[in-house]
Amino acid sequence: MTGGRLVRLAESARAPVEFIFDGEALTGLEGDTVLTAILLSRRALRDAEFGPEARAGFCLMGACQDCWVWQEGGARLRACSTPLREGMRLRSAPGGTQWPGPPADAERDRSGDSA
Amino acid sequence: MTRVLIIGAGPAGIRAAETLAAAGLNPVVVDEAARAGGQIYRRPPEGFTRTPEKLYGSEAAKARALHATFDRLVAEGKVTHLPQRSVMALHGGTAHVLGETRQEIPYDRLIVATGATDRLAPVPGWQAGGVYSLGAAQIALKAQGVALGRRIVLAGSGPLLTLLATQLVASGAEVAAVLDTAPMRQQVRGGLRMALARPWVTLRGLRLRAALGRRYHAGVTLTGIESDATGPTAMAWRDAKGRDRRTDCDTVGLGWHLRSDGTIADLAGAAFDWDTDFAQWLPRADPLGRAGEGLYLAGDGLRILGADGAELAGRAAATACLQDLGLPHPDPARTLRRLGRMHRFAQGMMQAFPWPAQMVRDLPDTATVCRCEGISAGDLRGTLPLSGPEANRAKSLGRVGMGRCQGRYCQLAGAEIIAAAAGSAPRDVGRLRAQPPARPAPIGAWLNTPAEGEAE
Ligand code: FES
């Protein structure tokens, strides 16, 4: 099956936001989370570390950590609770040798959900 | 002035803040969301245009009132709101908080209103990408205006199953089937207790159910989720008459009502007891929510009473706090009476939509229990001769509960499987203790940045 996993049902009159995922230019809308924006064009966020299946998030409330993706700079972020920003450069896997830990500096585990 | 820290800005945290502010205190509210409201009254990002009526249906007026109350308190400077921050640890009267930066917030009294997450039972194949919690599907719809797939099967039990299905259908999503593991007989029995406590709310639930028509099936056993490389392709299930059936789909939502998130309460020193009605561990507290020296609990993190109950519990916890400080406080009698009614309703609901204990006990060895690290029921059963039937030992040897969700989604199923092998009950297996950090945190956040002092 081609195309994304998610379907927009409402709120489609928002400004477009361009970003890069695994080297490809994609477009989301202002107010999308990173998870929403990626899964509107893709079936999954990344591969699983411990099995053959793909990962596409699970709880969407910051509790399960299933939705990690990486910035090209190396920082890991939680896709379900990180707002999409113009020009973000994202990857489905960490770059270099840092697997699975985050780099020691720039990471910001920003969230968008209640405690 | 006494420094009161409230963790969580859902219905309970907001009403607690309001009650404290009315007594002249200036509480600090830490919350993970950008905008206050909690899960059920979650607000979409700025710039979204659907009305509360569209988002919250019959509960729109309550959502509006709650949001407006909190926004006004913050605007008037009576409450300090620290959004987009997670409490990672509590130590010696200081909360270690992580957001854009690391912060240390000292407090004299603590009100924990951290809510609940979906209660999950494993279904063979649930590790596929494209299987979500029911709560996830609702958040996607409310906060983002999206459906998580093109053809969705919803399965599990509890009020959210029906509510979410009707919300998705009304928004134009394709819901292929709604599979309730609760047998109809049991639903009728619990439903009568629910109707006695809150007839109007019960009636509303029945109306929603009727709107689902032939999509809805009660007394179902879920046998497995089939998938290919792109995600789920079908849900296999057995109907109440024992016939094997199969529903094509590309997305599955699962959930069996809610599980109180006790992580922060545990770190704050609360004790826990197994609750037979709610079939899970719940923190120990007095009727107003006192759970220890200067520690108060409220909302679904204390007792799963839903949003209306959480508003009451937030008021109750703040009232207890004011009593203990010797400050003028509202009379709690009416709040306690109403909480009692909420509790009776919730007990009926737990009876109507029970945890699927037998289904979990019958999981095949190949079924994944821990989604985070791919640990199967067989792996866990294989650990037991070494670890014995105790959850924390089985966790350290078998890693169930050790993954990055920190046991939130596998703990109850793990306990059920251990209990089945030992011929005991989940309550005998013990509760997984919470460890800081309360969320997986990048080590660099702790090592490289000096903490900021108290927020002003
Ligand atoms: S999907 Fe669970 S933390 Fe993002």
Side-chain angles (χ1 to χ4, degrees):
Chain A
M1 185 172 198
T2 55
R5 150 167 299 287
L6 307 193
V7 187
R8 260 197 224 285
L9 301 174
E11 309 276 8
S12 42
R14 288 174 281 139
V17 176
E18 314 279 337
F19 68 106
I20 308 278
F21 182 60
D22 284 344
E24 263 180 89
L26 301 179
T27 308
L29 298 181
E30 204 174 291
D32 281 356
T33 63
V34 166
L35 180 143
T36 300
I38 293 175
L39 292 183
L40 278 159
S41 302
R42 293 281 179 276
R43 299 287 301 172
L45 299 170
R46 62 183 174 89
D47 296 329
E49 306 92 313
F50 297 92
E53 63 285 340
R55 290 303 194 195
F58 183 71
C59 73
L60 267 65
M61 59 171 84
C64 75
Q65 322 299 324
D66 188 272
C67 63
W68 289 348
V69 296
W70 287 262
Q71 288 183 314
E72 280 187 3
R76 183 188 80 201
L77 51 83
R78 205 162 64 188
C80 74
S81 45
T82 305
L84 181 70
R85 284 186 297 272
E86 182 71 35
M88 272 182 150
R89 303 181 70 88
L90 303 166
R91 302 167 48 104
S92 61
T97 56
Q98 291 150 342
W99 191 89
D105 51 6
E107 169 151 348
R108 291 290 173 262
D109 205 3
R110 290 174 53 105
S111 46
D113 46 81
S114 82
Chain B
M1 192 181 349
T2 307
R3 299 164 303 180
V4 184
L5 177 64
I6 300 174
I7 307 177
I14 290 176
R15 291 304 176 201
E18 180 190 33
T19 307
L20 295 176
L25 295 179
N26 190 336
V28 172
V29 183
V30 180
D31 189 55
E32 290 194 329
R35 307 177 74 193
Q39 296 299 354
I40 207 77
Y41 299 137
R42 173 185 280 266
R43 282 191 272 187
E46 300 280 357
F48 281 57
T49 53
R50 282 170 300 169
T51 60
E53 283 65 29
K54 193 105 201 151
L55 289 173
Y56 313 111
S58 60
E59 309 305 281
K62 290 178 197 164
R64 267 185 206 279
L66 203 69
H67 296 154
T69 299
F70 193 76
D71 292 351
R72 178 176 50 74
L73 289 167
V74 173
E76 290 171 353
K78 293 182 177 156
V79 169
T80 305
H81 183 207
L82 302 178
Q84 290 186 286
R85 288 166 175 87
S86 304
V87 172
M88 307 304 272
L90 299 164
H91 189 71
T94 299
H96 297 261
V97 174
L98 191 62
E100 282 280 335
T101 58
R102 186 158 76 87
Q103 268 173 304
E104 289 178 5
I105 304 176
Y107 58 85
D108 304 306
R109 310 253 159 183
L110 182 65
I111 298 182
V112 179
T114 47
T117 53
D118 295 86
R119 180 167 62 171
L120 264 298
V123 173
W126 75 314
Q127 66 275 19
V131 177
Y132 293 94
S133 72
L134 295 178
Q138 198 184 40
I139 289 167
L141 180 62
K142 275 192 200 166
Q144 295 279 284
V146 298
L148 290 174
R150 284 158 216 285
R151 194 174 149 83
I152 304 171
V153 166
L154 301 175
S157 197
L160 183 57
L161 180 67
T162 307
L163 176 63
L164 170 65
T166 53
Q167 288 171 332
L168 280 170
V169 170
S171 307
E174 187 183 344
V175 177
V178 181
L179 307 176
D180 196 329
T181 58
M184 197 43 96
R185 237 180 324 121
Q186 187 141 7
Q187 292 194 37
V188 170
R189 262 189 253 134
L192 287 174
R193 292 172 72 187
M194 290 163 65
L196 281 175
R198 302 182 75 190
W200 176 241
V201 177
T202 309
L203 190 66
R204 203 166 60 209
L206 284 174
R207 271 218 218 100
L208 291 178
R209 169 75 59 78
L212 293 175
R214 294 163 56 88
R215 290 187 190 86
Y216 178 84
H217 304 267
V220 161
T221 305
L222 305 172
T223 46
I225 297 165
E226 299 165 17
S227 32
D228 63 18
T230 69
T233 53
M235 170 71 90
W237 52 287
R238 203 169 307 129
D239 68 18
K241 296 205 176 95
R243 284 177 305 216
D244 280 316
R245 304 185 54 172
R246 215 171 147 277
T247 306
D248 290 336
C249 62
D250 71 352
T251 299
V252 173
L254 295 177
W256 281 262
H257 210 1
L258 298 175
R259 171 182 173 274
S260 141
D261 199 331
T263 313
I264 301 285
D266 190 346
L267 295 179
F272 286 77
D273 299 305
W274 179 264
D275 188 295
T276 310
D277 290 327
F278 290 87
Q280 57 189 286
W281 283 275
L282 293 175
R284 192 182 303 161
D286 83 355
L288 287 178
R290 281 187 191 88
E293 192 58 38
L295 174 65
Y296 310 87
L297 310 178
D300 281 349
L302 170 61
R303 296 281 175 276
I304 297 169
L305 306 181
D308 294 348
E311 289 193 46
L312 294 167
R315 283 202 189 97
T319 301
C321 178
L322 292 170
Q323 283 177 345
D324 295 350
L325 289 167
L327 292 172
H329 56 80
D331 177 5
R334 198 171 110 87
T335 302
L336 282 174
R337 257 200 322 277
R338 293 175 66 196
L339 271 173
R341 197 155 60 89
M342 298 288 167
H343 202 148
R344 289 196 299 282
F345 180 76
Q347 285 170 320
M349 192 176 264
M350 296 296 158
Q351 183 182 10
F353 307 113
W355 166 249
Q358 199 55 47
M359 199 179 86
V360 175
R361 288 175 172 237
D362 292 344
L363 277 175
D365 275 345
T366 50
T368 295
V369 175
C370 158
R371 266 187 118 251
C372 300
E373 300 196 353
I375 294 159
S376 68
D379 295 337
L380 176 56
R381 290 174 182 134
T383 307
L384 297 176
L386 271 176
S387 69
E390 200 283 316
N392 286 287
R393 294 229 347 121
K395 169 179 164 180
S396 48
L397 286 169
R399 293 199 60 84
V400 163
M402 253 201 200
R404 59 168 74 109
C405 85
Q406 297 164 302
R408 285 187 175 86
Y409 295 107
C410 63
Q411 176 179 16
L412 289 171
E416 197 69 60
I417 290 168
I418 296 172
S424 62
R427 67 184 315 157
D428 305 318
V429 167
R431 177 178 171 276
L432 291 183
R433 292 177 291 269
Q435 314 270 2
R439 297 271 195 249
I443 193 76
W446 301 95
L447 297 181
N448 289 356
T449 46
E452 288 171 12
E454 184 182 8
E456 222 3 86

